[in-house]
Amino acid sequence: MASRIKVLPTDLVNRIAAGEIVERPASVLKELLENSLDSGAGRIDIEAEGGGKGLIRVSDDGCGMNPEEMRLCLERHATSKINEDSDLTSIMTLGFRGEALPSIASVSKLTITSSTGEGEGGFRLSVEGGVIGQPEPCPANKGTVMEVRDLFFNVPARRKFLKTTQTEEAHMVEAAERYALSRPKLTIRLVSDGRELVYADAQNDFHARLAMILGKNIAPGIRELSRFADGVRVRAWLSGPDTSLRTAASLYVYVLDRPVRDRLLTRAIIQGYGRTLPAGRYPAGLVFVDLDPKEVDVNVHPAKTEVRFRKGFQVFKVVEDAVAEAIGSAKSQLLGDDPGPLFAHDSKLPDRKPPGTAPPAGGASEPPSPLGEPPVGASPIGASLKGAASWGERSSFRGSWGRALGGGAKGHEEWDLGTPWDGTYGMGVDPPGTGHPGKAFGPAPSADDSPLPDDDGPGDGQAGDLLGQAPGLRPLAQLGSTYILSEGPTGLVITDQHAAHESILFNRLKNALNAEGLPARTLLIPDTLELKGYEGVAMARLAKPLRHIGYILEPFGESTYLLKGIPLILGQEEAKEALKEILDGAKASLKDLDGGGIDGSLGEVSESWLHSVACRAAIKAGHSLDREEMERLLEDVLENEQGAHCPHGRPSSITISYQELERKFGRS
């Protein structure tokens, strides 16, 4: 009887391996970049066509290969990185398995041109669908050129699952940026269909590279930290607590200079921020973790994007403590205790030092926040509000803006922004930090005859359903220019003015969007937006649907757009900040860039955009309100049927019942 078990042919084995390693064009680019870096390249040029589906060409100035090495590199498990079993415990190169090139060659048309620089010219070798040709002499500079054409040409089932050109480009941009951030002395350039998407020139000014990739709005607030403990060295450049994003797409983590996606390290970074980072938000920046290679296993994932630590908790603790120490110092600065800049503009990525000597101890302890966790998008208490428009002027719900939102679709001429705020408080309420933290209104309620309502309302600090507080709420005071204290039928109601207003705006914006889209106001002088790599790719797909929420954008060059109109409810700077947040979200959720998710229906995509718009337009913490404005806001809170929580899930109000107060004061 013939055996039913047989050894698979080599070409089939390579195609199976390609399924694990080659997920999309960006996976090919990652493997080719790692080969170039391992060869000692100082410059890498990348050319792509059709989002990498048609062509990926990677040229470097590394050590190059001779004809024998060119053939050997296409054999499975042929590598120059390791020689024996013990080498697996001390891997310092990016590649080591010898699987990537054979896998890529099995599902594409691959051409290798290489020269060691020792003789005249070099050699070229072609592979098509795993069939290897002979090296032929050709002119070539020192280094290697890897040219991958027609990816998955012989596996049509895989090719049809690739995404749009813009989506695949965005993934390639991210792959290039990850290595550009970790190697400031590397020049790397990515050109796709003739458009330059990434260009990072070799330079010592690490801050300039951070600004190019993370964005000019984020880079100035980056805080540098360094810590060594228990054999683990952490170096990081992270945004402060006042700058956070909806996704972790701009948080780059490296272990032994290898880019990884590690949930353990990400959680350690988040916990290091503590309560200074709102729930569901992420910092931007990069974190390097160095330790003895024997303490980390990099051979746990086909694409080498995950690692496993022998002492995971120890690494977690060092990273968490390093971030907590730096963020504690950042908080001191925000509170006025630390006059120094958050980012030293002459910062450089330090030369790698083997773990062994700890940096000088230091760092400020984290002071308690006077108001706990700030609302998402809110300014710190006491921060300058200059340049914002007052809530009462910009989005008074008794004005035309409120009527249009509350009464269905209206003509754009009825949407009135009002007069921008002049930067002063100017409402008879002292700003926070002046010795007058709150303001009370009206006569004090009678302390004797009126019996307390006999109602088992919400207990201490419970979120209350304000619709059940009718006929109304009587404002008593504003606490810390952030919380409105009011008397309701069942007890004391504490309303977070930002969360409540954000919820009101979100629901009204959503209704308006469903009707006919949000109105825009045309800018007298268009604003020029310089977009970095992935932002430009995202904008090419999102400019049209963004019109539905009030953004009028026109291309103005390869990586530049003119912002000609903004949502009526936002000021110009707030509109730009919300747009940046939308583009950051698109980077992490690239499915949003595909045709069905955008062109077919706005759906949940546009809803997430409204979160950004509502958050930016809502009253901020630290904004003092007069009594009339408080009354107006509380009236709108009661009318907001879905207002128990803000769009981020935080309660907008809590109620402390009369019964709970009686118990606290021993009267029950």
Side-chain angles (χ1 to χ4, degrees):
M1 179 179 176
S3 174
R4 290 174 295 179
I5 300 175
K6 56 186 176 183
V7 177
L8 297 176
T10 302
D11 60 338
L12 182 55
V13 170
N14 286 336
R15 288 194 195 182
I16 293 172
E20 297 179 325
I21 298 171
V22 185
E23 178 187 358
R24 63 194 330 147
S27 308
V28 174
L29 177 59
K30 170 188 174 296
E31 298 294 343
L32 299 184
L33 283 174
E34 290 183 350
N35 282 340
S36 294
L37 292 169
D38 284 342
S39 74
R43 180 184 179 95
I44 302 176
D45 289 283
I46 308 158
E47 297 174 62
E49 294 177 3
K53 293 175 282 188
L55 168 70
I56 301 173
R57 182 187 292 118
V58 177
S59 308
D60 67 54
D61 59 356
C63 63
M65 295 182 286
N66 60 40
E68 181 183 0
E69 291 170 333
M70 291 171 68
R71 286 188 60 85
L72 280 173
C73 77
L74 295 168
E75 300 291 337
R76 284 181 61 77
H77 304 304
T79 179
S80 62
K81 317 295 174 59
I82 59 175
N83 295 302
E84 54 190 32
D85 182 70
S86 60
D87 291 340
L88 285 173
T89 62
S90 57
I91 295 172
M92 293 298 292
T93 55
L94 295 170
F96 56 89
R97 293 198 190 107
E99 289 182 312
L101 281 178
S103 299
I104 294 169
S106 70
V107 293
S108 67
K109 300 173 183 178
L110 174 67
T111 301
I112 305 175
T113 304
S114 191
S115 171
T116 60
E118 296 177 353
E120 294 184 2
F123 291 84
R124 179 177 293 116
L125 184 151
S126 297
V127 188
E128 184 168 330
V131 180
I132 304 174
Q134 292 294 325
E136 298 177 355
C138 69
N141 296 321
K142 181 182 178 182
T144 301
V145 179
M146 292 282 184
E147 187 176 286
V148 178
R149 291 188 177 273
D150 299 331
L151 184 63
F152 297 132
F153 79 99
N154 54 351
V155 193
R158 291 290 305 278
R159 189 175 178 89
K160 74 178 182 180
F161 279 99
L162 294 179
K163 304 299 182 182
T164 63
T165 296
Q166 292 87 353
T167 299
E168 299 301 344
E169 277 183 349
H171 282 285
M172 295 179 70
V173 166
E174 182 183 16
E177 288 180 342
R178 282 189 177 276
Y179 292 104
L181 271 177
S182 64
R183 290 167 170 79
K185 295 182 180 179
L186 170 71
T187 294
I188 186 167
R189 182 171 182 258
L190 168 60
V191 175
S192 180
D193 293 323
R195 295 174 294 115
E196 185 178 89
L197 300 182
V198 176
Y199 180 63
D201 196 4
Q203 55 189 327
N204 291 325
D205 188 357
F206 184 56
H207 180 261
R209 186 164 292 206
L210 275 176
M212 182 195 73
I213 295 176
L214 295 181
K216 295 179 181 178
N217 293 333
I218 293 177
I222 290 290
R223 190 166 191 83
E224 183 177 349
L225 65 94
S226 179
R227 186 181 182 89
F228 179 86
D230 298 326
V232 179
R233 182 183 301 281
V234 178
R235 299 168 299 141
W237 289 260
L238 291 168
S239 60
D242 56 331
T243 303
S244 62
L245 305 174
R246 289 170 44 218
T247 72
S250 293
L251 181 61
Y252 299 86
V253 180
Y254 303 83
V255 175
L256 295 174
D257 264 2
R258 180 187 305 279
V260 299
R261 293 181 176 90
D262 189 272
R263 278 182 275 183
L264 175 80
L265 294 177
T266 301
R267 192 165 72 250
I269 295 166
I270 299 300
Q271 288 194 197
Y273 277 80
R275 290 179 57 84
T276 67
L277 194 68
R281 306 287 292 187
Y282 298 87
L286 56 158
V287 177
F288 294 88
V289 178
D290 295 314
L291 68 169
D292 188 337
K294 294 183 174 62
E295 298 295 315
V296 57
D297 185 0
V298 300
N299 190 28
V300 297
H301 189 274
K304 306 184 292 292
T305 57
E306 297 178 7
V307 296
R308 182 178 297 132
F309 298 104
R310 195 166 72 87
K311 298 178 181 177
F313 177 77
Q314 184 173 289
V315 175
F316 181 98
K317 193 62 179 169
V318 174
V319 173
E320 180 188 18
D321 289 348
V323 175
E325 181 178 293
I327 296 308
S329 177
K331 283 184 65 183
S332 295
Q333 177 177 331
L334 290 172
L335 293 171
D337 300 330
D338 176 11
L342 281 175
F343 192 98
H345 285 264
D346 60 350
S347 295
K348 303 176 183 177
L349 187 65
D351 294 333
R352 179 165 308 286
K353 298 178 182 178
T357 55
S365 60
E366 178 173 313
S369 171
L371 289 174
E373 178 181 321
V376 176
S379 305
I381 301 301
S384 170
L385 296 173
K386 187 175 179 62
S390 84
W391 168 78
E393 292 168 335
R394 176 189 307 156
S395 49
S396 168
F397 298 128
R398 296 296 171 263
S400 57
W401 167 239
R403 288 196 301 271
L405 280 180
K410 300 288 181 184
H412 288 188
E413 68 277 2
E414 294 190 37
W415 299 63
D416 180 22
L417 181 70
T419 305
W421 190 36
D422 64 4
T424 63
Y425 285 83
M427 288 179 279
V429 182
D430 293 307
T434 62
H436 305 282
K439 183 178 177 93
F441 301 98
S446 174
D448 42 18
D449 301 315
S450 301
L452 295 175
D454 185 14
D455 178 27
D456 290 329
D460 185 9
Q462 296 181 18
D465 180 3
L466 293 187
L467 293 177
Q469 296 281 358
L473 299 172
R474 186 171 69 88
L476 304 174
Q478 187 186 27
L479 177 65
S481 295
T482 298
Y483 302 102
I484 299 173
L485 309 183
S486 59
E487 180 184 10
T490 63
L492 174 66
V493 179
I494 305 174
T495 302
D496 182 328
Q497 63 192 38
H498 175 80
H501 193 203
E502 184 180 2
S503 176
I504 293 165
L505 283 180
F506 174 75
N507 289 318
R508 294 186 176 182
L509 288 169
K510 188 175 179 180
N511 291 337
L513 181 65
N514 292 337
E516 65 171 15
L518 305 189
R521 67 180 177 102
T522 303
L523 297 178
L524 184 62
I525 301 176
D527 207 337
T528 303
L529 303 179
E530 293 288 343
L531 304 180
K532 59 191 179 72
Y534 78 87
E535 291 177 336
V537 174
M539 186 65 79
R541 291 292 287 163
L542 300 182
K544 183 177 179 180
L546 279 169
R547 181 63 184 85
H548 288 272
I549 64 170
Y551 284 98
I552 303 174
L553 295 139
E554 288 185 6
F556 188 68
E558 289 188 359
S559 60
T560 305
Y561 276 77
L562 289 181
L563 181 61
K564 291 190 167 185
I566 60 176
L568 185 61
I569 194 173
L570 292 177
Q572 190 164 340
E573 288 305 313
E574 292 169 321
K576 289 167 64 177
E577 290 172 0
L579 181 60
K580 176 67 169 63
E581 190 169 87
I582 288 169
L583 293 176
D584 284 330
K587 178 182 180 181
S589 185
L590 291 168
K591 63 180 176 61
D592 291 352
L593 302 180
D594 292 332
I598 291 296
D599 297 334
S601 169
L602 291 178
E604 60 186 46
V605 175
S606 60
E607 188 166 310
S608 70
W609 296 350
L610 294 185
H611 289 175
S612 298
V613 174
C615 184
R616 298 293 178 185
I619 311 167
K620 302 299 186 292
H623 183 164
S624 295
L625 305 177
D626 62 22
R627 178 169 184 168
E628 181 183 354
E629 289 175 318
M630 290 190 205
E631 289 176 343
R632 192 161 56 229
L633 178 60
L634 292 176
E635 288 174 11
D636 290 319
V637 165
L638 292 175
E639 294 173 3
N640 187 21
E641 294 183 359
Q642 298 176 333
H645 294 81
C646 77
H648 301 94
R650 297 188 298 108
S652 57
S653 296
I654 62 173
T655 301
I656 303 176
S657 70
Y658 289 117
Q659 287 68 34
E660 183 64 26
L661 289 172
E662 286 187 308
R663 284 194 295 269
K664 293 289 188 183
F665 286 99
R667 299 185 65 180
S668 59

